[in-house]
Amino acid sequence: MKNPSIILTENDKIILESYKNIADGLSEFLGSGYEIIIHSLESLDSTIIKIINGHHSGRTIGAPITDVALSMVTKLEEDNGQSFITYFTKNKKGEQIKSSISAIYGENNRVIGLFCVNFFFRTTLSEFLNSFINPSISENDSISENFVDNAEDLMIGALEEVKKIVYNDLSISSSNKNKEIVSLLYQRGIFNLKDSVITISNHLGISKNTVYMHIRNIK
């Protein structure tokens, strides 16, 4: 077997760094029962460049790759098309773990690192559920999100929500309501969508030049 250690380019390092943000976001979503690790294959003796909830395994940044992860690198070297693996294992204490290892690709489609997620079954039910329940947020404070099949439905859905807000705000004069609607849609990024100005102007019954004017005033 070839030595899977590699020399990272500057772009490779940037790619690995970008995965650290993904790890942070995923950890906040999944909760403390999950250990998340990013390995860099630049040095197999010290591969971990990011670890969250490392108390589960006792590892820290700078720890080496595991035997299973090393085996994964070997399989990737053999180019059998496999880029991830999910498996069950146990630690030295005999505790059950569900693990996932995914390849991180860099320049020239080289495998430059691994993204690993481990769930520890010893995690209590209350600890697990605590990640999905936020008692400090009421139903009225929750974020409303539109799941649609196409961009036009997204525009219309956002427009209807904004219209309700503006029409119910008695402090906004009738002559300024369309201006405020365009402003709120702009803040939501709706006008980054293709043909959004035409779609919004048609549904508001105003010209696209008027919409453009309101957008220019916002900028």
Side-chain angles (χ1 to χ4, degrees):
M1 179 188 76
K2 297 183 297 181
N3 187 342
S5 297
I6 61 173
I7 297 175
L8 297 178
T9 67
E10 288 304 311
N11 284 338
D12 290 333
K13 294 176 182 178
I14 291 173
I15 291 170
L16 285 173
E17 282 296 314
S18 71
Y19 274 83
K20 292 182 179 181
N21 290 330
I22 297 175
D24 286 329
L26 187 60
S27 175
E28 183 169 331
F29 177 77
L30 294 176
S32 59
Y34 291 81
E35 180 185 61
I36 299 176
I37 310 103
I38 298 175
H39 293 280
S40 167
L41 298 183
E42 192 168 31
S43 172
L44 298 184
D45 295 327
S46 179
T47 59
I48 295 181
I49 59 173
K50 175 79 173 182
I51 185 166
I52 304 173
N53 296 324
H55 59 276
H56 286 295
S57 64
R59 291 178 294 175
T60 59
I61 290 176
I65 197 169
T66 66
D67 51 351
V68 175
L70 184 60
S71 174
M72 175 69 174
V73 175
T74 302
K75 291 180 180 179
L76 290 168
E77 266 196 319
E78 296 170 353
D79 193 25
N80 63 356
Q82 185 177 10
S83 60
F84 64 89
I85 181 175
T86 299
Y87 59 97
F88 291 90
T89 186
K90 292 182 180 180
N91 60 15
K92 291 181 179 180
K93 298 179 181 179
E95 297 168 331
Q96 190 78 25
I97 305 168
K98 183 177 182 180
S99 300
S100 172
I101 301 175
S102 299
I104 299 175
Y105 293 91
E107 283 192 308
N108 302 316
N109 204 38
R110 297 183 309 156
V111 179
I112 60 173
L114 301 173
F115 192 95
C116 305
V117 179
N118 300 315
F119 175 69
F120 289 75
F121 283 78
R122 68 163 183 259
T123 303
T124 64
L125 181 60
S126 61
E127 185 180 5
F128 177 79
L129 293 177
N130 198 41
S131 304
F132 299 93
I133 300 173
N134 189 342
S136 65
I137 297 179
S138 67
E139 184 176 347
N140 293 331
D141 294 328
S142 62
I143 298 173
S144 176
E145 186 170 4
N146 293 320
F147 296 92
V148 295
D149 294 328
N150 56 71
E152 184 174 0
D153 287 346
L154 177 60
M155 297 177 211
I156 303 307
L159 175 60
E160 292 304 316
E161 288 182 15
V162 167
K163 284 169 65 177
K164 289 179 182 179
I165 295 172
V166 173
Y167 290 160
N168 290 330
D169 190 340
L170 300 179
S171 67
I172 303 173
S173 65
S174 298
S175 59
N176 284 327
K177 288 193 183 296
N178 284 337
K179 178 181 178 180
E180 187 64 24
I181 288 171
V182 172
S183 176
L184 292 176
L185 290 174
Y186 179 84
Q187 293 173 29
R188 295 188 179 198
I190 293 299
F191 293 110
N192 291 320
L193 299 172
K194 183 180 179 181
D195 297 328
S196 55
V197 170
I198 295 175
T199 300
I200 297 303
S201 63
N202 287 340
H203 282 79
L204 285 178
I206 59 178
S207 70
K208 64 179 183 180
N209 289 333
T210 301
V211 175
Y212 280 124
M213 179 188 69
H214 291 325
I215 293 175
R216 284 196 299 270
N217 289 335
I218 296 168
K219 292 180 179 180

